[in-house]
Amino acid sequence: MPQIIVIGAGGQIGTELVAELRKRFGSQNVVASDLGETCPTLLEGGPYIQLDILNREFVRSYIIDNGIKQVYLLAALLSATAEKNPEFAWKLNMEGLFTILDLAKEKHIEKVFWPSSIAVFGPTTPSDKTPQHTIMEPITIYGISKQAGERWCEYYFNKFNVDVRSIRYPGLISYKSKPGGGTTDYAVDIFYKAKEHKRYTSYLSEDTALPMMFMDDAIRATIELMEAPIIKIKERSSYNLGGVSFSPKQIAIEIKKRDSYFEINYEPDFRQAIADSWPNSIDDSAAHNDWGWKHHFGLEEIVDIMLNNVQPK
Ligand code: NAD
Ligand code: SER
């Protein structure tokens, strides 16, 4: 069994990714790590270490001394938070990646997963069924850091044969853990507010369609990509990944079908400009053709699952 570490494991993706990796590879083989001194409850089923990805020397010695062979590097600032602290976002999103890519270049690590995002695209990108290879002129610091990261991943693969794999996640929807400061977070918040107050004020306008995905699909995609034979991985920047695509109005209609008292109103804020610069929908035929990707969850299923499972305080 490979020794695996998930860095930034306490966040929206990490909590569910760690659980799935432990199921597949054994609890003791998957180390969860994050900034906190104590292990978050959802990560309690296996080893946990307090680790700051910006502490390069500590990260290097932990990975080398413990024979870690696969790294899932999730620690980052997301789009909305990054706009509030661009310098730190750039530092966190880039330096951590170099620490891990260098360990792989030195052959301490065999495989790296590093997530990119739909944020690599910008206002000049074709916004419907955005192709795998197209114009990429991101306007957010988050998108710029992800695009730069993609270029570095491909460079390390070409120059140093580093087996780094990546997905451009769309907005992710989950009920086990909450999102951590992205522009797509509304698509999770809306379910909490629907159950708590039967009303939601959307910070995106009613017709802002964005690519989205249910977390189970995203976790499955991540593990399928990492398990795919090396010969099948043709994109070493990052793979487009399609799921569903919907606007605040469309998700509100689905919620209202299940709860007629639900109401939504719209007060767009600074996140509107970020969302406007991102695609409406994604063409993921490269992921489909190369390693067999296919999403399972549609909007109606997602709404059913979320309304049945979110636990408002
Ligand atoms: P999140 O904000 O929920 O979690 C990030 C985790 O990283 C947090 O638990 C945080 O404590 C930890 N962290 C922050 N700084 C750290 C540091 N210095 N050292 C170690 N850990 C640190 O984020 P997420 O939604 O789970 O996203 C994970 C990755 O996936 C990010 O790279 C993000 O850009 C990418 N992504 C997420 C989405 C999404 O919709 N969630 C979409 C596209 C891409
Ligand atoms: N969900 C992420 C965000 O909104 C997309 O990368 O920042």
Side-chain angles (χ1 to χ4, degrees):
M1 285 293 180
Q3 292 298 306
I4 298 171
I5 190 166
V6 179
I7 299 175
Q12 190 193 11
I13 299 175
T15 46
E16 299 208 31
L17 180 62
V18 166
E20 191 56 34
L21 288 171
R22 284 179 175 162
K23 239 189 258 169
R24 288 179 188 228
F25 301 110
S27 296
Q28 292 312 311
N29 297 316
V30 181
V31 181
S33 71
D34 209 299
L35 291 172
E37 205 175 319
T38 52
C39 178
T41 320
L42 286 170
L43 299 174
E44 272 172 356
Y48 173 82
I49 171 128
Q50 179 182 25
L51 180 149
D52 180 350
I53 189 61
L54 293 176
N55 187 343
R56 184 175 165 96
E57 284 320 307
F58 181 81
V59 173
R60 282 184 63 83
S61 52
Y62 183 82
I63 285 177
I64 294 168
D65 295 349
N66 289 279
I68 301 284
K69 294 298 169 211
Q70 292 189 17
V71 176
Y72 291 75
L73 173 56
L74 304 181
L77 285 199
L78 275 78
S79 58
T81 319
E83 285 308 299
K84 293 180 181 158
N85 197 349
E87 256 175 65
F88 180 69
W90 178 257
K91 182 179 167 71
L92 176 62
N93 294 7
M94 299 312 297
E95 282 183 18
L97 178 59
F98 283 121
T99 297
I100 300 305
L101 288 178
D102 285 339
L103 280 161
K105 173 183 161 188
E106 294 160 26
K107 304 301 169 204
H108 297 296
I109 300 172
E110 290 165 1
K111 235 189 248 185
V112 177
F113 177 80
W114 174 82
S116 185
S117 161
I118 52 167
V120 294
F121 301 116
T124 51
T125 303
S127 57
D128 292 320
K129 290 239 159 242
T130 299
Q132 174 71 37
H133 298 283
T134 184
I135 302 167
M136 294 161 88
E137 295 178 329
I139 57 163
T140 60
I141 194 65
Y142 176 67
I144 295 168
S145 72
K146 290 294 183 186
Q147 191 197 29
E150 285 192 10
R151 303 319 307 148
W152 279 109
C153 287
E154 192 180 279
Y155 185 86
Y156 270 68
F157 171 74
N158 287 335
K159 294 278 176 184
F160 312 120
N161 207 21
V162 164
D163 189 359
V164 53
R165 305 178 182 203
S166 177
I167 283 172
R168 293 173 183 147
Y169 290 129
L172 299 181
I173 302 175
S174 61
Y175 63 86
K176 292 180 190 157
S177 49
K178 284 196 171 177
T183 301
T184 57
D185 292 12
Y186 92 84
V188 175
D189 295 341
I190 195 169
F191 293 103
Y192 285 88
K193 297 293 187 317
K195 288 193 84 166
E196 281 166 35
H197 312 297
K198 300 200 178 292
R199 140 162 304 283
Y200 183 66
T201 300
S202 170
Y203 56 79
L204 297 182
S205 66
E206 58 182 344
D207 292 322
T208 308
L210 288 170
M212 299 279 186
M213 179 171 282
F214 190 54
M215 187 60 85
D216 290 29
D217 270 345
I219 299 298
R220 185 171 54 80
T222 306
I223 295 175
E224 283 179 9
L225 174 69
M226 286 294 271
E227 292 300 295
I230 197 159
I231 188 100
K232 293 195 179 240
I233 311 300
K234 307 275 196 315
E235 302 294 340
R236 291 297 182 161
S237 52
S238 191
Y239 275 99
N240 273 8
L241 201 68
V244 286
S245 177
F246 57 79
S247 64
K249 186 176 170 186
Q250 286 168 312
I251 195 171
I253 288 171
E254 287 304 322
I255 295 174
K256 214 171 161 59
K257 276 186 201 164
R258 292 154 179 83
D259 177 353
S260 58
Y261 291 105
F262 177 70
E263 295 293 341
I264 186 165
N265 66 310
Y266 302 91
E267 290 178 11
D269 67 12
F270 73 100
R271 289 167 283 193
Q272 183 66 46
I274 300 177
D276 285 343
S277 76
W278 290 355
N280 300 328
S281 60
I282 296 289
D283 173 3
D284 61 3
S285 48
H288 176 76
N289 295 336
D290 291 357
W291 45 277
W293 167 249
K294 202 171 183 322
H295 84 275
H296 289 168
F297 293 87
L299 177 58
E300 294 194 7
E301 256 172 309
I302 294 173
V303 172
D304 283 336
I305 296 171
M306 291 299 286
L307 285 176
N308 285 332
N309 288 284
V310 293
Q311 305 276 356
K313 289 213 180 78

